[in-house]
Amino acid sequence: MSATTTLAPPPRLQSALVLRGLLLAGLAILALLPLLNRLPVDSVLHVSDFIVAVTGKWICYGVLALAIDLAWGYAGILSLGHGAFFALGGYAMGMHLMRLIGPRGVYGNPVLPDFMVFLGYAELPWTWWGFSSFPFALLMALLVPGLLAGVVGYLAFRSRITGVYLSIITQAMTYALMLAFFRNDMGFGGNNGFTDFKELLGMPLNSGGTRAMLFYAALAVLGLSLLLCRHITQSKLGRVLVAVRDAESRLRFLGYNTTHVKLSVFVLSAMLAGLAGALYVPLVGIINPGEFSPGNSIEAVIWVAVGGRGTLVGALLGAFSVNALKTWLTSFAPDLWLFVLGGLFVAVTLFLPRGLVGLMSRGPGR
Amino acid sequence: MSRLLRLLPLLLLLAGPLRAQEGFETAAAGLSGGFAAQVEAVDRLGALGDPRALPILRALSEGRLQKTPEGVLVIGGQDALTGAPAATASLETVRINNRVRGALRGAFGRLELASFSVAERISAAGGLFRARSPDNIAMLEDALGRESDAAARTAMEQALAASRLAAPEAAVKRQGILLLGGTGSPEARSLLLEARAANPDLAAEIDAAVSAIDGRLQLRRAAETAFQGLSLGSVLLLAALGLAVTFGVMGIINMAHGEMVMLGAYTTVVVQGLLRGTPLAPWALPLSVPAAFLVAAAVGVALERTLIRHLYGRPLETLLMTFGVGMILQQAVRLIFGAQNQEVTSPAWMQGIVTLPGGVEVTQNRLWIILFALLVLAVTVAAIRFTRFGLEMRAVVQNRRIASTMGIRTGRVDAMTFAFGSGIAGMAGVALSQIDNVSPNLGTGYIIDSFMVVVFGGVGSLAGTMIGAFTLGLVNKMLEPWAGAVLAKIAVLVGIMLFIQRRPKGLFALKGRAAEQ
């Protein structure tokens, strides 16, 4: 039953070089964007605030795509719960940002966020303890998704739930979390979520300078995630991951503990997704339970599929190109977007199993 | 007054049928007299139990009763007794005082207990239950002797018990307590608890009666929960049955399954729209069932032949691809019908509430859906067990190549099986249109639950699907009262995950398919 797509031969050296060049050029252009935004408005090279904001979002999506690719493209774990890990990281950061609003809220309560005053909370619930500290919130953005992935992964991998069963289980997890976060009495803002953030690390969030800083922070995280994933996939562990994907039973008979391998990569991947969420929330200024919707997770999976799973460049390429297409299309034909997205699911799985990267490297086709 | 009331049965005996007519008119005449005469007249009218007195006494209490100087009673320009047009000049409103009002209350209760309408008798008994005065005991005993309607009897017995509880004599009180303890109503329970403080000497009896009521209430609540659980289970069964065929039997993971259900619900909307105004309109819902089956099956065949066929053996890709197809179907329906909820009417025979023995109330449509789900299950089982198509299907599932060498066209069987599973999903949509909002994302809410049912019950086993659906429905509804709907759902999901730890292949694992690949 497991997905035994035969491992494609490595792209030829030449195309690998082309891809690497593309990647570096892309990162360089991204790095330039906030600077170009500072140019006078009438300049030819001026980049609008909108473009910077949107690309900042895509960078976070890029980190998420890397996380999914690590689990799915390399280890063959098709998780439909990465949107939930992303949202959990986002909520952790959102809670920090809510605590920083302090007495500037509508009700002016120095401790309680507005929605808690509104719901009649007497004091801060224990789940919110410690979130006034930035390092703690960041740690939680990594630990909570990691822990959840650890528990779910342990239960699933231990009883050898693989393939679509794992996908369904993770989707059910995402769905359950969405239902839970929509509840007001969970103490996480109900269906309104968190918004109206004021500052982060002492910098006002509405200033252009802070936005640029956040943009660069996200870009730095993207770069570091890329290096980390590259290090992992090129190490011996990376070879084992691919082996788990292609022939798990054989690997198990060879004496590898595949449960541990899968669990560690799943947890790491979830933490990376949480980090992406934590970067995303200050950039977009809002987080609500809609982020947990199962559709989001599966959409993120399709970015990776479009770009080309099993290659890190492909994940980034997919995240940026699909989201660029989405932003462009929804601006003038929003009704069409879901047809196109659905069509992408069909086209990629039927005709482009190796994604855009596979198309470029022109390896021997299926 | 109370003495007079106790004499009531005697008075009634004396007032024979012949004398009743005469008595009614002479008694009514007293209403135009002084306050003392009015009280006597009201009491007599009440004692006579003639329903004709009711409108006159109501008019009196509401200040609408008038009289001519000659003492003829008039209501709204008509003679109160004969209904003939009456003189309108020099009319005077009949005044009453508090004593008369008190007498009127008693008479009302008695007259309404004798009313021709069952509903009015029940409501009168309810009023006497709340009044709980020992004065009403004789009246209620008498009314009970004449009552034949079961519901009215129950209400009167309760009222009688409550009245007895308020009597001064301990023996009568005991009777009341015993009677109340025999009912299963929360009102009787609170009445007993109230009486407990006032009657410390009867505490033991009252406690016994309260615990008897509690037991009955608990039983009824359990029965109601069980019904709700069965109802949810039948919905889950309907949604999951099609999946049990496509995923369970064929191993195709179809994320667009929810959209097949949605298409079935929209077919119902369309069929109802087409038949509106025609003589067939009341049959729209039954006719929607085959229509929905055909629509969903046609979409299923198209999907299988053009797309899914190419991805056999690659479940993860199938999952993603069918999710995309679901997205397209949803958006297409949204563009054609709009995003708002569609209106579906229920036929008359599906509306209303049925009271099962023991006072358990269930809605008709839920009952029908349970029956429908079981029927669909039976048809599915029969189709797989006893038809040529079912035989070929099982053969292909067991060994595709051997089946092929035996002359079975496996590709055709694949398409047929997928169409069959999709068609069942379409029929589920007809049922769900009766209890859920018909909107383009109707199916998304069911897809995860359906997969849970199939995985829990055991992939490839229809019996497992049925038991899985009803188990999940019952557990969900049992958890709900103390955990809330959402937490109950989460608890069930976590429970399934833990269950799969013990039995990775579900409740009913198929033998021989356990080995991977």
Side-chain angles (χ1 to χ4, degrees):
Chain A
M1 276 291 277
S2 84
T4 51
T5 41
T6 45
L7 180 58
R12 269 174 263 162
L13 195 59
Q14 202 181 0
S15 52
L17 278 175
V18 170
L19 279 177
R20 186 170 300 179
L22 264 175
L23 177 68
L24 290 176
L27 289 177
I29 293 174
L30 284 177
L32 277 176
L33 285 180
L35 295 177
L36 296 177
N37 181 30
R38 288 302 173 89
L39 288 174
V41 178
D42 48 6
S43 160
V44 189
L45 290 174
H46 174 79
V47 170
S48 69
D49 287 351
F50 173 74
I51 301 250
V52 177
V54 154
T55 39
K57 237 167 75 172
W58 296 350
I59 292 174
C60 303
Y61 289 155
V63 178
L64 177 60
L66 281 179
I68 292 174
D69 196 22
L70 194 61
W72 181 38
Y74 286 90
I77 305 166
L78 178 53
S79 152
L80 298 181
H82 269 59
F85 300 139
F86 181 83
L88 282 173
Y91 262 91
M93 186 51 73
M95 284 159 79
H96 175 58
L97 292 167
M98 286 306 267
R99 295 287 280 118
L100 289 185
I101 294 176
R104 280 168 290 182
V106 178
Y107 294 104
N109 190 311
V111 179
L112 296 182
D114 275 348
F115 76 88
M116 286 192 191
V117 181
F118 183 72
L119 291 175
Y121 279 68
E123 54 184 15
L124 211 59
W126 65 270
T127 41
W128 282 67
W129 293 350
F131 275 95
S132 53
S133 139
F134 178 76
F136 180 82
L138 202 58
L139 192 68
M140 285 298 128
L142 291 169
L143 280 189
V144 172
L147 203 67
L148 180 63
V151 172
V152 172
Y154 175 73
L155 291 177
F157 300 142
R158 197 182 66 122
S159 48
R160 298 190 188 165
I161 295 173
T162 52
V164 287
Y165 292 90
L166 184 87
S167 307
I168 294 167
I169 292 277
T170 50
Q171 188 174 38
M173 174 200 83
T174 310
Y175 186 62
L177 279 171
M178 179 178 77
L179 292 179
F181 272 79
F182 263 113
R183 284 171 64 96
N184 274 328
D185 55 7
M186 280 280 288
F188 296 115
N191 56 350
N192 294 321
F194 308 140
T195 188
D196 276 340
F197 307 131
K198 307 290 184 204
E199 57 164 54
L200 180 62
L201 295 172
M203 300 179 294
L205 277 175
N206 54 4
S207 87
T210 315
R211 281 162 191 274
M213 293 281 277
L214 284 169
F215 187 95
Y216 282 122
L219 197 59
V221 168
L222 179 69
L224 289 175
S225 313
L226 192 61
L227 287 178
L228 175 72
C229 291
R230 207 176 101 93
H231 177 74
I232 291 173
T233 53
Q234 291 192 343
S235 67
K236 187 185 162 211
L237 178 62
R239 310 301 296 170
V240 174
L241 287 182
V242 172
V244 164
R245 178 188 74 188
D246 291 339
E248 188 180 348
S249 312
R250 196 179 303 173
L251 203 63
R252 204 182 292 129
F253 290 130
L254 285 173
Y256 283 88
N257 189 335
T258 55
T259 305
H260 286 179
V261 174
K262 283 162 82 175
L263 189 60
S264 40
V265 76
F266 190 54
V267 169
L268 181 71
S269 166
M271 289 167 84
L272 212 51
L275 185 62
L279 283 167
Y280 177 81
V281 168
L283 272 168
V284 299
I286 185 168
I287 176 85
N288 60 39
E291 294 292 336
F292 281 102
S293 95
N296 279 13
S297 295
I298 209 161
E299 200 178 318
V301 167
I302 214 65
W303 304 336
V304 179
V306 167
R309 73 193 116 121
T311 61
L312 298 173
V313 186
L316 293 183
L317 187 66
F320 278 88
S321 55
V322 175
N323 279 298
L325 184 65
K326 180 178 185 175
T327 307
W328 175 69
L329 204 61
T330 46
S331 65
F332 73 93
D335 282 343
L336 225 58
W337 165 242
L338 283 178
F339 285 120
V340 171
L341 183 62
L344 270 180
F345 276 88
V346 176
V348 165
T349 46
L350 280 181
F351 307 117
L352 268 185
R354 289 171 56 220
L356 291 173
V357 169
L359 201 67
M360 280 184 219
S361 61
R362 294 217 193 119
R366 202 164 61 81
Chain B
M1 187 175 134
S2 66
R3 228 172 298 133
L4 207 132
L5 281 175
R6 301 240 176 89
L7 288 175
L8 181 110
L10 199 69
L11 279 172
L12 277 174
L13 272 179
L14 288 175
L18 266 174
R19 291 169 64 186
Q21 178 70 14
E22 180 197 351
F24 173 67
E25 275 165 13
T26 42
L31 290 178
S32 57
F35 292 139
Q38 280 179 338
V39 171
E40 203 195 324
V42 169
D43 282 349
R44 276 179 68 191
L45 283 173
L48 283 173
D50 190 324
R52 283 180 298 165
L54 205 52
I56 302 176
L57 294 183
R58 281 209 180 113
L60 179 63
S61 84
E62 288 159 17
R64 287 184 291 111
L65 189 69
Q66 295 167 314
K67 62 179 176 189
T68 61
E70 297 82 46
V72 177
L73 296 170
V74 177
I75 304 171
Q78 289 177 333
D79 189 304
L81 295 179
T82 61
T88 49
S90 61
L91 284 176
E92 190 193 339
T93 302
V94 181
R95 290 167 195 281
I96 51 175
N97 68 357
N98 277 342
R99 273 193 58 219
V100 182
R101 278 192 199 100
L104 274 171
R105 270 196 292 277
F108 279 150
R110 209 164 311 129
L111 285 169
E112 279 164 0
L113 279 182
S115 158
F116 293 124
S117 134
V118 175
E120 212 158 272
R121 295 205 294 274
I122 291 177
S123 106
L128 292 171
F129 175 80
R130 280 186 292 279
R132 50 193 144 106
S133 143
D135 298 346
N136 300 333
I137 294 176
M139 176 167 93
L140 280 162
E141 278 171 345
D142 173 60
L144 254 176
R146 279 179 283 132
E147 187 56 67
S148 55
D149 184 83
R153 278 194 76 89
T154 316
M156 285 179 191
E157 269 163 13
Q158 275 200 31
L160 178 61
S163 309
R164 281 190 180 151
L165 191 60
E169 303 89 354
V172 182
K173 273 188 187 168
R174 279 209 183 87
Q175 271 186 318
I177 293 168
L178 275 178
L179 255 174
L180 284 175
T183 69
S185 89
E187 294 95 352
R189 186 178 181 277
S190 53
L191 200 64
L192 282 169
L193 288 179
E194 215 174 281
R196 194 181 187 280
N199 303 289
D201 47 323
L202 293 172
E205 277 101 333
I206 291 180
D207 284 347
V210 167
S211 70
I213 294 180
D214 280 348
R216 239 168 256 126
L217 282 178
Q218 223 159 27
L219 207 66
R220 186 192 301 173
R221 228 169 285 142
E224 266 162 12
T225 308
F227 179 78
Q228 283 168 0
L230 285 180
S231 167
L232 179 64
S234 66
V235 168
L236 289 176
L237 176 61
L238 275 172
L241 255 182
L243 210 63
V245 173
T246 54
F247 178 56
V249 178
M250 292 179 80
I252 298 175
I253 177 132
N254 180 15
M255 295 299 272
H257 179 79
E259 276 59 48
M260 301 295 180
V261 175
M262 183 265 292
L263 285 179
Y266 272 87
T267 309
T268 315
V269 173
V270 171
V271 169
Q272 279 196 345
L274 287 177
L275 295 183
R276 191 160 295 138
T278 68
L280 282 175
W283 297 99
L285 199 66
L287 288 174
S288 302
V289 174
F293 182 90
L294 290 179
V295 168
V299 174
V301 166
L303 180 61
E304 200 274 343
R305 282 292 91 181
T306 56
L307 301 175
I308 291 177
R309 185 162 66 97
H310 303 291
L311 292 177
Y312 278 164
R314 290 159 67 198
L316 292 183
E317 276 85 350
T318 314
L319 184 152
L320 290 176
M321 197 268 286
T322 48
F323 190 87
V325 170
M327 224 174 225
I328 293 173
L329 286 176
Q330 253 190 50
Q331 183 66 0
V333 168
R334 195 173 288 125
L335 281 187
I336 297 171
F337 292 90
Q340 76 281 12
N341 292 343
Q342 298 290 318
E343 207 171 311
V344 180
T345 47
S346 295
W349 44 267
M350 273 188 74
Q351 291 168 355
I353 288 173
V354 190
T355 310
L356 299 182
V360 183
E361 290 186 339
V362 300
T363 50
Q364 284 264 42
N365 58 359
R366 294 273 174 179
L367 210 56
W368 276 105
I369 286 174
I370 294 179
L371 290 178
F372 183 66
L374 293 176
L375 187 73
V376 173
L377 176 70
V379 169
T380 310
V381 170
I384 293 178
R385 280 269 173 85
F386 306 119
T387 65
R388 172 89 200 170
F389 155 69
L391 184 70
E392 290 182 353
M393 185 179 116
R394 282 178 289 145
V396 170
V397 167
Q398 277 173 14
N399 195 324
R400 177 171 294 270
R401 285 164 76 188
I402 301 273
S404 180
T405 58
M406 303 298 281
I408 295 172
R409 289 159 66 190
T410 55
R412 195 166 149 269
V413 171
D414 287 337
M416 294 268 284
T417 310
F418 196 79
F420 182 57
S422 302
I424 296 173
M427 296 203 289
V430 179
L432 292 184
S433 74
Q434 294 297 311
I435 51 168
D436 204 341
N437 296 328
V438 179
S439 72
N441 43 9
L442 166 79
T444 41
Y446 291 102
I447 182 77
I448 292 175
D449 287 338
S450 308
F451 272 115
M452 288 295 129
V453 167
V454 174
V455 169
F456 174 66
V459 172
S461 157
L462 287 180
T465 303
M466 183 188 79
I467 292 174
F470 283 117
T471 310
L472 291 190
L474 283 171
V475 169
N476 216 326
K477 286 294 170 190
M478 281 194 285
L479 289 178
E480 249 175 45
W482 57 270
V486 172
L487 283 182
K489 201 158 197 174
I490 295 169
V492 167
L493 288 179
V494 173
I496 292 176
M497 280 199 61
L498 293 177
F499 176 80
I500 294 178
Q501 297 297 303
R502 297 228 107 197
R503 307 193 60 159
K505 300 286 171 190
L507 271 179
F508 290 77
L510 287 193
K511 292 187 184 92
R513 296 179 82 231
E516 267 182 82
Q517 289 161 351

